[in-house]
Amino acid sequence: MTNDGHPSSPATDITGSTVNRRRMLTIALGGAATVALPAPAWAADDKRPGSSRKPALTSDDRKIIAQVSAERALAHLRVLSEEIGPRIGGTASERRAADYIAKQLDRLGYQVRLEPFAVADKFLAQLASPAGLPTDLNWQAGASPQAALDTTVQGDVVDVGAGAEENYPASVTGQIVLVDYVAARREQLVATAVARGAAAVVFLAADGVPPRRSSAFSPTLPGSAGTPVPIPVVGVAQAQKERLRALLAAGRLTLTISTVAHRNLTSHNVIAERVGRSGANGPVVMVSAHYDTVIGAPGANDDGSGTVLCLELARVMKAIPVDATLRFALWGSEEQGLLGSRHHVRQLPQAERDRFLAVYQNDMVATSWDPATLYWLLSFTGQSNRATDEVAAAGVRLGYDPRMSPVTQRGSSDHQSFQEVGIASANFSWRGETSPALLEPPYHTPEDTIAKNISLERLQVSLELIGCAAYATAR
């Protein structure tokens, strides 16, 4: 989901208790020391955690609920978040994810196509150490496009704090300096490091306003555009900053920094379709998510969770007879400004736009952050439509209506691209109760991992809500 700010909120879980979901995890999750996700354990007619009553399911609801499985979805999420990792729009990692998604949908029997579109250059860095860096964080960072690119440097690390002359030791020649990032002084901070002989500058992001944690970034150095800085300049996230300083406090730290310029890039949407009984010109129901991430973020919740929800619902709905054409869409380059979905919508002639009954956009549907107890129905216009109505109705049948927001005005995800041209669409997401801007601390950071930011319980509820709503629309 594209970036926005949020206030703080007290910690309560989906049931309103103060149980910390991350403490419920054990060790079966691929190397994270404290974590494996317990499978949701409820029968179709059981009262769900956090719901107000037992469900009153229709026969159609039961067709979906009998089959959807957050555990199956988790297998896809491990590939996207742990094996592939950050999926920056237009880079090879995003394309690898697109190919994986397309392969899964093709195996399910859908008609699948990749929809290409050009995106801006990207400038990335990778941090490593001969001694190894902690493996629970991703160590991708952003690189300055006005500094040394397509190069690798290694050196001992020195922390120069605010970066003034008096903060430097007698010599930093050949060393990698950690510097607190201050946007207004960034060019002078780099100039000082270069003059003192540093091998690279690692800008340390300022702390976010709690509970927000700051992201990795590609520092811009406008005054250096004509004469590039001769050393790498990179920007790391708050979590990476804290680890680097802790490692350095524990003793000597040597880093290897590699920078890469990714140019002439193409991003891709993945579109899968199954024509319904109404035929090739019949109505369309779309379930969608974005699969790209920001720099340094493995994107387990944003938006690996929405992506694997789509894959799991595609599996469940592949053979259920429906009147409407079912489309599953996974958008590329959402994090750069909804680029993939906007490209897609621009290509649709009006006759094709008119076929849509509803677009169900799923962005951040599985966080384990305790305060994210409300399931938000977010409309770019602030008005209800077929998508919000069907999910609200499914919530009533499942007993979740007290845990669902009223229809609330908000963009910042791919539903906006559809609503801008009059197509019924909405974004669905678990967030804090006081505001849809209240997102979990791992949002857009290296800590957006399965271990630190995924609840299978919330993912299962999301699968049931969207699955029942989409089927009710398509049948």
Side-chain angles (χ1 to χ4, degrees):
M1 185 185 69
T2 54
N3 189 50
D4 43 31
H6 62 83
S8 61
S9 175
T12 55
D13 72 3
I14 192 173
T15 65
S17 75
T18 56
V19 176
N20 186 317
R21 290 177 185 281
R22 289 181 292 279
R23 291 200 295 269
M24 295 171 61
L25 308 177
T26 58
I27 57 171
L29 205 128
T34 56
V35 286
L37 303 176
W42 57 74
D45 293 310
D46 287 349
K47 180 178 178 292
R48 272 69 171 159
S51 65
S52 61
R53 59 189 176 277
K54 288 187 175 183
L57 303 175
T58 68
S59 59
D60 289 331
D61 292 335
R62 293 179 185 279
K63 294 175 186 177
I64 301 297
I65 288 171
Q67 298 186 64
V68 290
S69 167
E71 288 183 283
R72 284 182 179 270
L74 179 62
H76 297 303
L77 190 55
R78 286 189 175 121
V79 174
L80 294 171
S81 181
E82 296 180 343
E83 294 183 23
I84 299 176
R87 305 173 292 280
I88 312 306
T91 66
S93 61
E94 192 202 44
R95 179 57 191 266
R96 184 181 170 197
D99 289 343
Y100 174 82
I101 293 163
K103 184 177 181 180
Q104 304 311 308
L105 292 165
D106 181 70
R107 284 176 172 173
L108 293 172
Y110 288 86
Q111 299 172 0
V112 183
R113 62 186 175 89
L114 295 182
E115 188 174 71
F117 55 97
V119 295
D121 298 343
K122 305 296 186 302
F123 305 95
L124 304 177
Q126 190 68 36
L127 275 60
S129 174
L133 292 174
T135 58
D136 64 322
L137 281 186
N138 189 279
W139 289 95
Q140 185 185 75
S144 172
Q146 293 85 30
L149 296 165
D150 300 313
T151 189
T152 298
V153 300
Q154 186 175 93
D156 288 345
V157 174
V158 59
D159 188 346
V160 300
E165 287 280 357
E166 60 270 22
N167 300 126
Y168 277 78
S171 174
V172 295
T173 300
Q175 293 183 297
I176 293 172
V177 296
L178 308 183
V179 186
D180 290 322
Y181 181 72
V182 179
R185 299 181 57 232
R186 61 192 184 276
E187 292 177 80
Q188 182 56 52
L189 292 170
V190 170
T192 300
V194 171
R196 298 295 297 264
V201 172
V202 178
F203 273 133
L204 307 175
D207 289 354
V209 177
R212 179 62 50 82
R213 306 265 289 166
S214 57
S215 308
F217 61 104
S218 293
T220 57
L221 303 169
S224 305
T227 54
V229 173
I231 63 174
V233 178
V234 307
V236 301
Q238 182 175 343
Q240 296 164 329
K241 169 183 72 174
E242 292 167 352
R243 290 300 181 85
L244 289 173
R245 281 188 159 153
L247 290 168
L248 187 58
R252 179 182 176 184
L253 174 62
T254 301
L255 283 182
T256 302
I257 298 177
S258 299
T259 60
V260 179
H262 300 265
R263 303 184 188 275
N264 303 313
L265 300 181
T266 300
S267 185
H268 295 83
N269 297 325
V270 185
I271 312 294
E273 179 174 286
R274 174 192 149 208
V275 176
R277 292 175 297 205
S278 295
N281 295 317
V284 172
V285 174
M286 177 179 279
V287 181
S288 61
H290 74 88
Y291 69 94
D292 67 309
T293 73
V294 300
I295 296 171
N301 192 42
D302 186 15
D303 186 25
S305 63
T307 298
V308 302
L309 177 147
C310 290
L311 291 177
E312 174 61 4
L313 288 183
R315 181 190 70 82
V316 169
M317 300 181 78
K318 66 180 180 179
I320 298 176
V322 290
D323 285 337
T325 289
L326 285 175
R327 284 188 190 154
F328 291 90
L330 291 310
W331 310 117
S333 296
E334 184 267 1
E335 299 290 6
Q336 299 166 50
L338 316 182
L339 297 185
S341 58
R342 283 187 165 146
H343 171 82
H344 178 77
V345 170
R346 280 197 303 269
Q347 311 310 306
L348 296 175
Q350 189 59 49
E352 184 66 15
R353 294 176 182 180
D354 291 342
R355 294 177 60 199
F356 281 87
L357 297 177
V359 177
Y360 297 92
Q361 171 69 16
N362 303 275
D363 199 345
M364 304 172 65
V365 298
T367 182
S368 60
W369 188 48
D370 293 340
T373 58
L374 201 64
Y375 188 77
W376 286 83
L377 314 182
L378 301 175
S379 164
F380 176 61
T381 66
Q383 303 298 311
S384 62
N385 57 48
R386 183 71 180 272
T388 60
D389 289 348
E390 292 284 14
V391 172
V396 170
R397 299 194 299 275
L398 284 162
Y400 266 103
D401 41 314
R403 304 305 318 154
M404 299 174 78
S405 79
V407 176
T408 302
Q409 185 173 17
R410 192 169 189 83
S412 300
S413 192
D414 294 297
H415 65 299
Q416 179 175 338
S417 302
F418 290 86
Q419 287 194 273
E420 286 172 339
V421 299
I423 296 172
S425 181
N427 179 35
F428 305 96
S429 181
W430 289 102
R431 306 176 185 216
E433 290 193 20
T434 59
S435 166
L438 185 55
L439 304 173
E440 67 267 22
Y443 168 70
H444 277 190
T445 78
E447 296 175 297
D448 186 6
T449 63
I450 295 173
K452 295 181 179 181
N453 199 27
I454 291 295
S455 161
L456 286 189
E457 183 180 281
R458 285 187 176 137
L459 179 55
Q460 183 72 25
V461 173
S462 298
L463 282 162
E464 292 184 356
L465 288 168
I466 298 299
C468 291
Y471 182 39
T473 312
R475 69 173 187 270

